[in-house]
């Protein structure tokens, strides 16, 4: 087992963010990663590093020693005892891991012993050091060389360095050349958006009264706007992420802010200074704006003092802001170079398909596929943001169906810039070219050109026709449309692939330590034994295609031969049929869910089964069981589910949940792009 010990070259380099980002990058590669923070320097009830390691990376780390305890033992000459405790703590954290990542002590003027203690900890752990520097502070490369030399003199080996907060002009290749024999693991650019607090955090810091809650907990402050001039002079500052601040008697500012909010501009909020209230007449006139999500706060101080307080807010991510910290970790992980990690980390005997590894490989495969995916709900806000993300990250070439002006307005209201590579197609300009092909496809049903034109008014139907004639490679819909609205045109125009008689679906369930496949949870209400067998084979193929080795459990209320009844008999027959069609597939049933998923129970209820206790693919007997189970697991265990991904069509069409988040849409687009490669 390898141990990496991360230390800063100076203060405020973002050590915690980089440490946890490295963990996420290693998890993406399939490593089982342990985490330790030997000594806590925060005097708080919750240690941030451990909290986020658990909440985001699903790692349980042992509680650290306090800096006061470390200082006391060092002062008493008990360094060997202190180091023994630290080593013991780290080895507990490393149990069952391929790699242990340990966060060293921050540079602290009040504790000058921290550099030497870092060296002693690394030496006693036989750990390789990784230096974390900040390019924002200047003299970065010299600091890295100096720290490398110092640690070498103290008997430590520096495996590499990570540069954080790099400005846009930072020359990576020049840095590599200058560092020479010191390996550079990655350069993380400075992004002010990663520092953006929630309006809720500002309210807490200012001890503000909340006059209108709105979306207080989700909107973020990208800039603070002080309203010293007239409303006309500050209209251009009413942009997404702006926190508008001014005295409550400025009715013109309040009304201008309300107007911007009512038009969909995602302002961070409005702060009224001098203890101001909202005039009842203004509240009545702007009632629509106050219901749009705009938070409104009141503070006792004047505008200047309030702005000063905001400027001095702590930069650390609050423990309840999981979204922001997850974004930070993903950003850091994205900027760490896989080849550098591969060169420095010893590969274990086996690599697990952990959720981070699954998501990472999904994105990488989609990038390689480079497919054109049509999004019929082109002016839906989440869809627009997802398309922008896909364009920026090279996940897919998305096509938004909708009027350009409407899509640009949606993007502007969210503070999103549409990249020039993102394609927008106005349905009115292309609809006619698909009338004739649609009539030909539906000739047997007697479809007329007039009927085709009418049906093509539906952008889902239009997008499906684009896919049918190979103008695009896949389709993703469902953020506002029902499943039936997405699937019906696909069945009519795309049809099933050769050898398939049924369309089904799977969800990829990203459990804390592995990825499971659930099918069918979205399409077929009550499949026959023959159909259930086909769903099992389709689900196994989907699992294998996305890196999950299929061990298929046919789920029922009974295990083995213990139960009787039509429902369990159907599952038993489906299992026999699936085995006959795929003799090499590991499949067993009927199995109860606990017998399929829990090793001890599997051994007791189904001894000798090649699947019991270790299933990776769960095939449910009907839609009621499957849909209920996936949602219960998703919500109660806080599990991310990717899907549903449709199976059995000639070309990839995928449905979204109407409650889908932006990330859900991004991953579904990636799934669709990968599916397109195999069709």
């Amino acid at each position: 087992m390898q141990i990496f010990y991360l230390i800063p070259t100076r203060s405020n380099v973002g050590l915690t963010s980089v440490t946890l980002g490295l963990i996420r990058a290693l998890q993406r590669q399939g490593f089982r990663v342990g985490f330790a923070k030997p000594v806590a320097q925060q005097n708080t009830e919750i240690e941030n590093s451990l909290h986020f390691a658990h909440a985001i990376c699903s790692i349980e780390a042992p509680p650290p020693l306090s800096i006061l305890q470390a200082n006391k033992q060092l002062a008493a000459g008990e360094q060997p005892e202190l180091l023994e405790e630290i080593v013991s703590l780290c080895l507990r954290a490393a149990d069952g891991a391929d790699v242990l990542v340990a966060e060293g002590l921050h540079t602290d003027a009040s504790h000058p012993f921290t550099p030497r203690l870092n060296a002693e900890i690394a030496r006693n752990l036989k750990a390789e050091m990784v230096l974390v520097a900040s390019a924002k502070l200047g003299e970065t490369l010299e600091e890295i060389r100096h720290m490398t030399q110092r640690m070498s003199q103290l008997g430590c080996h520096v495996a590499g360095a990570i540069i954080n907060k790099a400005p846009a002009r930072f020359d990576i290749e020049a840095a590599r050349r200058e560092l020479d024999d010191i390996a550079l693991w990655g350069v993380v650019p400075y992004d002010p958006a990663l520092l953006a607090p929630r309006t809720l955090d500002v309210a807490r810091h200012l001890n503000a009264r909340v006059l209108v809650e709105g979306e207080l907990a989700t909107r973020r402050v990208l800039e603070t706007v002080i309203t010293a001039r007239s409303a006309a002079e500050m209209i251009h500052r009413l942009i997404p992420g702006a926190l508008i601040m001014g005295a409550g008697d400025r009715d013109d500012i309040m009304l201008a802010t309300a107007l911007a909010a009512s038009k969909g501009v995602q302002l961070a909020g409005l702060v009224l200074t001098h203890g101001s209230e909202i005039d009842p007449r203004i509240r009545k006139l702007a009632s629509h704006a106050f219901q749009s999500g705009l938070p409104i706060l009141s503070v006792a101080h004047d505008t200047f003092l309030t702005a000063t307080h905001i400027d001095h807010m702590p930069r650390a991510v609050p423990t309840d802001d999981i979204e922001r910290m997850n974004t930070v970790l993903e950003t850091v992980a994205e900027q760490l170079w896989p080849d550098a990690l591969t060169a420095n980390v010893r590969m274990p005997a086996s690599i697990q398909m952990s959720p981070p590894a699954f998501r990472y490989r999904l994105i990488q495969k989609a990038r390689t596929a480079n497919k054109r995916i049509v999004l019929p709900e082109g002016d839906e806000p989440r869809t627009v943001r997802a398309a922008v993300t896909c364009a920026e990250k090279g996940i897919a070439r998305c096509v938004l169906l909708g009027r350009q002006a409407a899509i640009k307005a949606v993007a502007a209201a969210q503070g999103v810039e549409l990249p020039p590579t993102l394609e927008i197609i106005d349905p009115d300009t292309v609809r006619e070219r698909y009338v004739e092909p649609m009539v030909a496809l539906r000739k047997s049903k007697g479809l007329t050109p007039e009927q085709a034109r009418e049906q093509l008014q539906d952008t889902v139907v239009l997008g499906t026709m684009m896919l049918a004639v190979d103008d695009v490679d896949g389709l993703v819909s469902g953020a506002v449309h029902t499943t039936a609205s997405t699937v019906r045109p696909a069945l009519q125009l795309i049809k099933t692939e050769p050898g398939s008689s049924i369309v089904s679906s799977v969800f990829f369930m990203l459990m804390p330590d592995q990825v499971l496949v659930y099918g069918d949870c979205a399409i077929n209400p009550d499949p026959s034994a023959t159909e259930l067998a086909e769903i099992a084979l389709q689900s196994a193929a989907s699992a294998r295609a996305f890196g999950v080795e299929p061990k298929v459990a046919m789920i029922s209320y009974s295990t083995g031969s213990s139960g009787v009844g039509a429902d369990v008999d159907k599952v038993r027959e489906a299992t026999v049929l699936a085995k006959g069609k795929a003799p090499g597939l590991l499949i067993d049933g009927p199995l109860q869910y606990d017998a399929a998923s829990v090793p001890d129970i599997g051994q007791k209820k189904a001894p000798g089964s090649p699947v019991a206790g270790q299933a990776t693919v769960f095939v449910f007997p009907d839609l009621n069981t499957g849909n209920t189970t996936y949602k219960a697991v998703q919500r109660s265990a806080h599990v991310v589910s990717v899907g549903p991904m449709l199976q059995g069509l000639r070309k990839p069409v995928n449905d979204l949940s109407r409650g889908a988040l932006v990330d859900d849409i991004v991953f579904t687009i990636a799934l669709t792009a990968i599916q397109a490669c195999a069709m």
Side-chain angles (χ1 to χ4, degrees):
M1 197 229 10
Q2 243 175 320
I3 301 176
F4 293 109
Y5 189 77
L6 277 71
I7 68 167
T9 58
R10 63 159 72 191
S11 60
N12 299 316
V13 300
L15 180 63
T16 296
S17 298
V18 172
T19 301
L20 297 177
L22 175 60
I23 290 173
R24 175 48 50 93
L26 291 169
Q27 288 181 326
R28 283 178 166 189
Q29 299 292 327
F31 291 99
R32 293 169 296 182
V33 186
F35 171 65
K37 185 175 177 63
V39 181
Q41 291 168 274
Q42 292 179 276
N43 188 24
T44 57
E45 187 176 340
I46 300 176
E47 211 296 317
N48 281 16
S49 300
L50 270 66
H51 170 75
F52 288 124
H54 171 70
I56 300 175
C57 304
S58 301
I59 296 175
E60 290 286 354
L65 306 177
S66 72
I67 189 69
L68 295 176
Q69 180 182 342
N71 198 10
K72 184 178 178 181
Q73 287 188 262
L74 290 172
E78 297 175 356
Q79 180 172 308
E81 290 82 359
L82 173 63
L83 290 171
E84 185 178 334
E85 287 185 65
I86 288 173
V87 169
S88 175
L89 181 153
C90 291
L91 292 179
R92 290 200 307 275
D95 187 37
D98 303 314
V99 182
L100 175 69
V101 176
E103 181 183 344
L105 283 80
H106 300 260
T107 301
D108 187 347
S110 62
H111 299 105
F113 58 81
T114 54
R116 183 171 289 276
L117 182 57
N118 275 331
E120 290 292 337
I121 293 171
R123 281 198 310 107
N124 279 269
L125 287 172
K126 295 180 172 55
E128 297 174 85
M129 276 191 167
V130 180
L131 306 182
V132 180
S134 172
K136 191 180 178 183
L137 300 170
E139 306 298 327
T140 306
L141 305 184
E142 183 58 37
E143 288 176 1
I144 292 172
R145 284 193 294 266
H146 173 76
M147 185 62 75
T148 301
Q149 184 180 15
R150 185 177 182 186
M151 290 298 116
S152 178
Q153 291 170 348
L154 293 171
C156 299
H157 171 64
V158 174
I162 298 169
I163 297 175
N164 193 25
K165 304 178 184 179
R169 64 182 183 278
F170 188 84
D171 192 332
I172 295 176
E173 291 306 314
R176 276 176 151 167
R177 288 193 302 271
E178 287 190 45
L179 289 175
D180 193 19
D181 58 341
I182 304 170
L184 195 56
W185 285 21
V187 177
V188 183
Y190 175 73
D191 184 358
L194 298 180
L195 302 176
R198 300 165 298 183
T199 310
L200 172 65
D201 303 321
V202 175
R204 288 171 175 172
H205 182 68
L206 298 176
N207 195 27
R209 286 186 299 117
V210 179
L211 304 180
V212 178
E213 183 173 355
E215 297 171 355
L216 187 70
T218 56
R219 295 202 181 185
R220 295 194 178 273
V221 181
L222 298 176
E223 66 170 314
T224 302
V225 179
I226 299 174
T227 57
R229 306 178 71 182
S230 69
E233 295 293 333
M234 52 85 63
I235 285 176
H236 67 287
R237 304 290 301 277
L238 296 173
I239 58 176
L243 183 69
I244 312 303
M245 186 186 312
D249 59 359
R250 291 291 306 277
D251 294 343
D252 59 331
I253 299 298
M254 196 174 299
L255 288 172
T257 302
L259 181 61
S262 64
K263 287 186 172 293
V265 179
Q266 298 285 297
L267 298 166
L270 174 64
V271 179
L272 305 180
T273 57
H274 299 282
S276 305
E277 300 282 348
I278 305 171
D279 187 292
R281 294 166 294 181
I282 299 291
R283 184 184 282 272
K284 183 178 180 180
L285 179 64
S287 59
H288 178 70
F290 297 152
Q291 296 169 11
S292 69
L294 175 70
I296 303 179
L297 311 175
S298 177
V299 296
H301 300 296
D302 62 35
T303 303
F304 177 78
L305 189 57
T306 302
T308 303
H309 284 326
I310 293 175
D311 194 50
H312 289 86
M313 278 186 65
R315 297 298 184 190
V317 182
T319 55
D320 63 345
D321 194 354
I322 302 297
E323 179 190 19
R324 178 179 159 197
M325 196 62 182
N326 187 61
T327 303
V328 171
L329 264 62
E330 291 294 335
T331 300
V332 173
E334 191 74 21
Q335 301 302 323
L336 298 182
W337 304 324
D339 58 340
L341 298 181
T342 304
N344 286 278
V345 185
R346 294 187 293 272
M347 300 297 290
S350 62
I351 293 291
Q352 66 169 358
M353 183 54 72
S354 64
F358 176 81
R359 289 194 292 263
Y360 174 73
R361 294 179 187 188
L362 190 68
I363 296 302
Q364 294 303 108
K365 282 186 176 182
R367 285 170 173 163
T368 303
N370 190 31
K371 295 298 182 179
R372 191 167 182 243
I373 308 299
V374 64
L375 308 175
E377 301 160 325
D379 57 2
E380 196 280 320
R382 292 163 296 166
T383 302
V384 172
R385 291 180 64 188
V388 169
T389 298
C390 288
E392 291 175 344
K393 295 187 175 183
I395 295 169
R397 293 176 287 126
C398 292
V399 179
L400 293 171
L401 290 184
R403 291 181 172 82
Q404 193 165 82
I407 293 171
K408 285 184 175 179
V410 168
Q414 299 183 96
V416 174
E417 186 174 343
L418 298 175
T421 56
L422 181 57
E423 190 176 357
I424 299 173
I425 295 179
D426 187 334
D428 292 342
T429 64
V430 299
R431 189 175 289 112
E432 191 63 28
R433 78 173 66 161
Y434 297 103
V435 172
E436 187 177 336
M438 187 171 177
V439 169
L441 285 171
R442 301 286 288 163
K443 185 178 179 180
S444 64
K445 301 297 182 181
L447 186 75
T448 66
E450 290 74 21
Q451 290 171 326
R453 288 188 184 93
E454 184 179 350
Q455 291 183 27
L456 285 166
Q457 294 294 321
D458 184 340
T459 54
V460 177
V461 176
L462 177 60
T464 306
M465 274 306 306
M466 293 173 70
L467 179 59
V469 301
D470 296 325
D471 284 348
V472 295
D473 302 303
L475 178 146
V476 174
S477 181
V480 293
H481 288 83
T482 64
T483 295
S485 299
T486 299
V487 175
R488 189 183 302 112
L491 291 172
Q492 293 173 344
L493 302 169
I494 304 297
K495 303 185 176 22
T496 56
E497 64 182 344
S500 292
S501 62
I502 191 172
V503 174
S504 65
S505 71
V506 290
F507 282 91
F508 295 91
M509 306 296 289
L510 309 191
M511 312 298 280
D513 56 355
Q514 68 177 135
V515 177
L516 302 177
V517 177
Y518 284 9
D520 171 11
C521 305
I523 302 296
N524 298 285
D526 188 18
S528 66
T530 302
E531 291 171 333
L532 195 60
E534 188 168 340
I535 291 170
L537 298 178
Q538 289 176 342
S539 301
S542 293
R544 186 175 286 112
F546 288 91
V548 178
E549 189 59 34
K551 297 179 182 179
V552 184
M554 305 295 283
I555 301 300
S556 179
Y557 61 77
S558 172
T559 294
S561 59
S562 63
V564 294
D567 291 338
V568 72
D569 288 343
K570 179 179 77 171
V571 174
R572 191 174 289 117
E573 183 184 352
T575 305
V576 172
L577 291 171
K579 284 181 176 179
K581 291 184 177 181
L585 179 65
L586 292 179
I587 182 169
D588 198 9
L591 291 170
Q592 292 162 290
Y593 192 98
D594 59 349
S597 59
V598 183
D600 290 347
I601 297 175
Q603 288 178 6
K604 290 176 183 176
K605 290 189 174 184
S609 169
V611 173
Q614 52 184 323
T616 57
V617 179
F618 295 73
V619 178
F620 297 98
D622 52 57
L623 185 58
N624 184 48
T625 306
N627 193 269
T628 301
T629 303
Y630 115 76
K631 286 184 176 176
V633 171
Q634 181 190 44
R635 298 300 178 186
S636 61
H638 305 290
V639 167
V640 174
S641 62
V642 179
M645 186 183 83
L646 302 188
Q647 310 169 132
L649 288 167
R650 286 194 305 114
K651 297 177 181 180
V653 173
N654 282 312
D655 181 41
L656 299 165
S657 165
R658 275 169 283 176
L661 303 175
V662 173
D663 279 351
D664 298 332
I665 301 173
V666 169
F667 283 119
T668 303
I669 291 169
L671 282 173
T672 307
I674 297 167
Q675 277 184 295
C677 288
M679 296 182 173

